[in-house]
Each structure stands twice: as C-alpha cells, then as structure tokens.
Amino acid sequence: MEVIKEEGIVEERAMDITLKELGKKLQEFAKDRDWEKYHSPRNLLLAMVGEVGELSEIFQWRGEVEKGLPNWEDSEKEHLGEELSDVLLYLIRLADICGIDLGDAATKKILKNAIKYPTKLN
C-alpha cells in the first residue's frame, strides 16, 4: 500500500494487494464501525446483489460495449470502477464471514474448469 500526502489529503493507493489483505481491511472497517453484527452471510449476499444491480444499470441501454471502453468518459469509467469495487468488496467479506478462502477456491475452480472444458486441438 502506498500512502500519498498532497495538500492535507491522505490517499492510499493499492500497489499489489491480496484478497486476504482486502479481507483484513474490510474486517477492520466493519469492526471500527460496529457493523459486524449486521454482516451475516444473508445480509452480505443481499447487499452484494444490490450492488450488482447498480453495476448492471451502468451498462443498461448501451448495447454492446467495446473492450477498454474507448468511447466512455473518464467519469463513467470511474463510476464503473466504484461499482465493480463494491461488488468485489462484498464478495470478499461474504467469503470471509463464511470461512471460505476465496483465492484458494477460485484457483481450484479454474483447475476444475480446465478439466471440464479442455483446450481444443486444431
């Protein structure tokens, strides 16, 4: 984590942060605000679904969108990043509350998918 101080504003920028590090930050964030009592698996899932809805609204009515979003304004890309982050953070928190190592589970799932969907030889 890189900390940048500019004109009295402190900004943290993630360099290469792990899912475990994000989970720890989320745990501390919730604890500092006494939100842990609200972070049941059900509540976190419903909150994440709400954020997926907000993410979907960004793409609604746009039709197909090119990779890299070349025709999007910077403010639109920033908004997209915020909504993607909301979904990711709820997913990480949900996995932690459920005792799932998300990095390990995702790696195993990729391996399972590689077996289920083998490469096609030409």
Side-chain angles (χ1 to χ4, degrees):
M1 190 66 66
E2 175 186 6
V3 177
I4 299 169
K5 294 181 182 181
E6 189 175 295
E7 295 181 25
I9 298 172
V10 176
E11 180 180 329
E12 289 186 20
R13 291 192 181 158
M15 300 310 276
D16 283 320
I17 191 164
T18 67
L19 294 175
K20 288 182 193 275
E21 290 167 336
L22 284 172
K24 182 79 171 155
K25 284 187 169 296
L26 290 168
Q27 181 182 27
E28 290 170 6
F29 188 89
K31 185 176 182 179
D32 290 347
R33 288 155 181 82
D34 197 29
W35 289 354
E36 292 174 308
K37 59 189 167 208
Y38 305 112
H39 285 191
S40 67
R42 176 188 173 274
N43 287 348
L44 290 167
L45 175 62
L46 292 175
M48 185 178 69
V49 167
E51 293 299 336
V52 169
E54 290 181 27
L55 178 61
S56 299
E57 286 177 352
I58 295 172
F59 289 94
Q60 188 176 13
W61 314 120
R62 287 186 180 256
E64 282 303 317
V65 176
E66 292 181 51
K67 285 185 181 181
L69 313 175
N71 301 320
W72 286 39
E73 300 290 328
D74 287 343
S75 61
E76 293 173 313
K77 289 181 180 182
E78 182 178 353
H79 183 218
L80 175 60
E82 290 170 355
E83 296 305 333
L84 286 166
S85 296
D86 285 341
V87 172
L88 175 65
L89 295 174
Y90 274 120
L91 179 63
I92 291 169
R93 186 73 174 137
L94 176 60
D96 285 348
I97 292 296
C98 292
I100 302 296
D101 180 331
L102 195 55
D104 184 56
T107 301
K108 287 177 181 174
K109 184 61 176 175
I110 289 170
L111 292 174
K112 273 187 172 181
N113 285 344
I115 294 166
K116 187 175 179 179
Y117 306 105
T119 58
K120 295 188 189 291
L121 300 175
N122 294 330

